[in-house]
């Protein structure tokens, strides 16, 4: 109750402080429509080929890919017209006619190939595109991969394969020319992106003329900005804000279940004792977190993927929440509280772990709750919250909470290979299992969907049996917005957001 009163008071202060002109959705004297989009995750670049930046160029309707995922996470043509899988290494893709970039230049098969080659040499996750051979005949591209590539069409849904006019773009970081319904007018790093409607858009005229993306990293501040009219759409608000907006007819919430996970990495180099990892996983009350910490806005997880997928958690067995059994596991492994301070010791050394995360969604609340739950079984925990996730690469954690989408392209391979493969780019936990590597090699070459699902299940179960990772739950994505906004619907991924159909009444 005190928190809500404080938010209301701060909101009133913010309303007074808001500068004239930065305000809400409006129709100007010229009849133009303007939308302010609030985003908590600040952006430093819009170059889709670099790291994960492509998510933002697609999210803000600047760029598009050859294929996109439908609501069931199945690829469908977008800039492509169709495709043919000729054999295990060969694919033919036909590009749509009459698609243009936002500068008016036509989309060509040659430019598509140039983009795929570039991302293949720029982004480690896209290395297969750099190793492939390409032949162009009119608007048909034949791609021959260096090895069997059953997920090629899925990978062409990844925003890193966004197609940009590389010939005419002067600044890939700040103003890439894509094929999307909006074009960058101005970009102030980690502050704002000003967008204007792409009058050359190939798939219909955007209904909103100008959009400003405002980055507000604090979710409480973002909620106040929506209440005050400083922003019209607010992304990534926490469940604490739900009651405020649900009870006000001036606002509405559009929500969907996603595969964005609160993923728990164990650093296997520093938390090497399996018994300790097992006890920790048994001490995590996922149902309790879902009900009381998240007010039902997450789905508790087993494994890396949502239950309803063929390779999801319903096919797996993970740790069961049981505090007393967790204590027994520690005791059997020689961890005993000999001095009565509430923390168990072994060989005279207290058992304590570093619990680390970064500012994103409810990561901070999770690590604080974990600290309390571990104390209940006699494990000390020191919490650290960073501004970004660089500490994962540096290995400076025992337990790390990472907010990540696990089925970004509608298939398990990319996430499992990256996270559990010995050479995986996101294997921050330093997991190694020769049998797992062999299964991942099989998965990489398997075209049969049922067999792929079974391999993905086996990979996850092996890692769960070793308590190599855990997963708190999957996030329900919610778009909070003014009631007059139409055409915005969240997607099971979280990079399809803005679009040409969004409008205001």
């Amino acid at each position: 109750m005190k928190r809500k009163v404080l938010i209301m008071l701060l909101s009133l202060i913010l309303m007074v402080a808001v500068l004239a002109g930065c305000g809400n959705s409006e129709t100007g004297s010229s009849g133009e429509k303007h939308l302010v989009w609030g985003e908590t995750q600040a952006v430093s670049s819009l170059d889709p080929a670099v790291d994960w930046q492509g998510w933002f160029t697609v999210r803000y309707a600047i760029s598009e890919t050859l294929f996109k995922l439908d609501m069931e996470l199945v690829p469908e043509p977008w800039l492509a017209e169709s495709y043919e899988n000729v054999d295990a290494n060969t694919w033919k893709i036909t590009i749509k006619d009459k698609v243009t970039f936002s500068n008016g230049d036509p989309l060509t098969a040659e430019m598509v190939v140039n983009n795929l080659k570039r991302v293949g040499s720029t982004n480690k996750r896209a290395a297969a595109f750099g190793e492939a051979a390409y032949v162009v005949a009119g608007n048909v591209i034949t791609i021959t991969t260096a090895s069997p590539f059953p997920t090629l069409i899925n990978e062409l849904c990844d925003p890193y394969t966004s197609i940009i006019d590389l010939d005419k773009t002067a600044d890939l970081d700040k103003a890439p020319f894509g094929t999307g319904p909006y074009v960058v007018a101005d970009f102030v790093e980690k502050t704002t992106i000003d967008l204007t409607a792409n009058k050359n858009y190939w798939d219909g005229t955007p209904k909103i003329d100008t959009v400003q993306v405002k980055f507000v990293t604090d979710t409480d501040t973002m909620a106040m900005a929506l209440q005050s009219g400083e922003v019209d759409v607010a992304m990534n608000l926490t469940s604490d804000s739900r009651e405020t907006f649900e009870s006000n007819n001036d606002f509405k919430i559009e929500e969907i279940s996603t595969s964005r996970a609160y993923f728990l990495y164990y650093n296997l180099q520093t938390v090497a004792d399996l018994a300790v990892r097992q006890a920790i996983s048994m001490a995590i009350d996922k149902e309790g977190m879902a009900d009381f910490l998240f007010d039902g806005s997450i789905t508790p997880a087993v494994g890396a993927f949502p239950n309803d997928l063929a390779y999801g958690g319903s096919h797996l067995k993970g740790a069961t929440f049981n505090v007393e059994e967790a204590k027994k596991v520690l005791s059997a492994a020689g961890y005993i509280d000999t001095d009565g301070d509430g923390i168990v010791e072994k060989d005279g050394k207290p058992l304590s772990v570093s619990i680390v995360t970064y500012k994103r969604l409810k990561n901070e609340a999770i690590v604080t709750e974990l600290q309390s739950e571990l104390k209940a079984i006699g494990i000390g925990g020191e919490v650290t919250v960073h501004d970004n996730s660089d500490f994962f690469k540096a290995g400076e954690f025992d337990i790390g909470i990472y907010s990540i989408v696990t089925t970004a392209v509608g298939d398990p391979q990319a996430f499992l290979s990256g996270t559990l493969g010995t050479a995986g780019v996101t294997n921050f936990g330093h997991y190694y299992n020769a049998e797992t590597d062999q299964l991942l090699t099989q998965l990489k070459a398997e075209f049969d969907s049922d067999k792929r699902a079974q391999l993905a299940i086996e990979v996850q179960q092996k890692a769960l049996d070793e308590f190599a990772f855990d997963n708190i739950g999957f996030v329900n994505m919610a778009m909070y917005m003014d009631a007059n906004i139409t055409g915005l619907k969240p997607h099971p991924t979280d990079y399809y957001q803005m679009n040409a159909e969004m409008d205001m009444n």
Side-chain angles (χ1 to χ4, degrees), residues 177-199:
F177 286 129
T179 61
Y182 286 91
V183 59
V184 181
D186 186 55
F187 175 33
V188 181
E189 183 177 338
K190 297 183 179 181
T191 304
T192 55
I193 303 174
D194 288 305
L195 305 167
T196 59
N198 174 10
K199 303 303 182 182

Side-chain angles (χ1 to χ4, degrees), residues 76 144 191 195 262 320 420 447:
E76 62 181 9
T144 303
T191 304
L195 305 167
Y262 287 108
T320 300
L420 299 176
F447 280 75

Side-chain angles (χ1 to χ4, degrees), residues 69-75 154 259 309 407 409-411 491-493:
L69 299 175
D70 67 13
M71 297 299 286
E72 303 300 323
L73 300 180
V74 176
N154 295 81
S259 68
L309 296 176
T407 52
V409 295
D411 184 86
H491 190 273
T493 69

Side-chain angles (χ1 to χ4, degrees), residues 111-252:
M111 186 56 72
V112 170
V113 170
N114 290 342
N115 275 267
L116 296 182
K117 287 181 177 178
R118 177 174 181 267
V119 72
S121 63
T122 302
N123 195 313
K124 289 181 179 180
R125 295 184 295 120
F129 290 109
E131 299 165 356
Y134 301 87
V135 175
V136 173
N139 65 339
V140 177
I141 303 170
T142 300
I143 304 177
T144 303
T145 56
S147 58
F149 196 172
T151 61
L152 182 138
I153 301 301
N154 295 81
E155 291 299 321
L156 289 174
C157 296
D158 193 302
Y160 65 44
T161 64
S162 290
I163 308 303
I164 302 298
D165 188 343
L166 299 175
D167 289 341
K168 298 294 181 64
T169 295
D171 191 336
L172 282 165
D173 287 317
K174 292 187 176 181
F177 286 129
T179 61
Y182 286 91
V183 59
V184 181
D186 186 55
F187 175 33
V188 181
E189 183 177 338
K190 297 183 179 181
T191 304
T192 55
I193 303 174
D194 288 305
L195 305 167
T196 59
N198 174 10
K199 303 303 182 182
N200 299 308
Y201 188 48
W202 62 274
D203 198 24
T205 303
K207 291 180 169 57
I208 293 178
D209 300 281
T210 59
V211 178
Q212 183 178 71
V213 181
K214 299 187 71 166
F215 299 110
V216 182
T217 56
D218 180 74
T219 54
D220 286 343
T221 303
M222 179 67 80
M224 291 186 288
L226 181 60
Q227 283 181 291
S228 70
E230 185 180 357
V231 302
D232 310 305
V233 179
M235 300 301 301
N236 300 325
L237 295 184
T238 64
S239 55
D240 299 333
S241 305
R242 178 174 292 275
E243 185 177 341
T244 299
F245 293 103
E246 278 185 332
S247 60
N248 190 331
N249 291 334
D250 291 334
F251 303 97
K252 63 182 177 180

Side-chain angles (χ1 to χ4, degrees), residues 40 66 128 183 222 228 234 265 292 331 340 355 395 426 440-441 492:
T40 58
L66 295 183
V183 59
M222 179 67 80
S228 70
Y265 276 96
F292 301 108
S331 178
I355 310 171
T426 53
L440 289 171
T441 298

Side-chain angles (χ1 to χ4, degrees), residues 13-23 214 225 228-230:
I13 295 172
L14 180 64
M15 289 175 67
V16 175
V18 171
L19 295 173
C22 19
K214 299 187 71 166
S228 70
E230 185 180 357

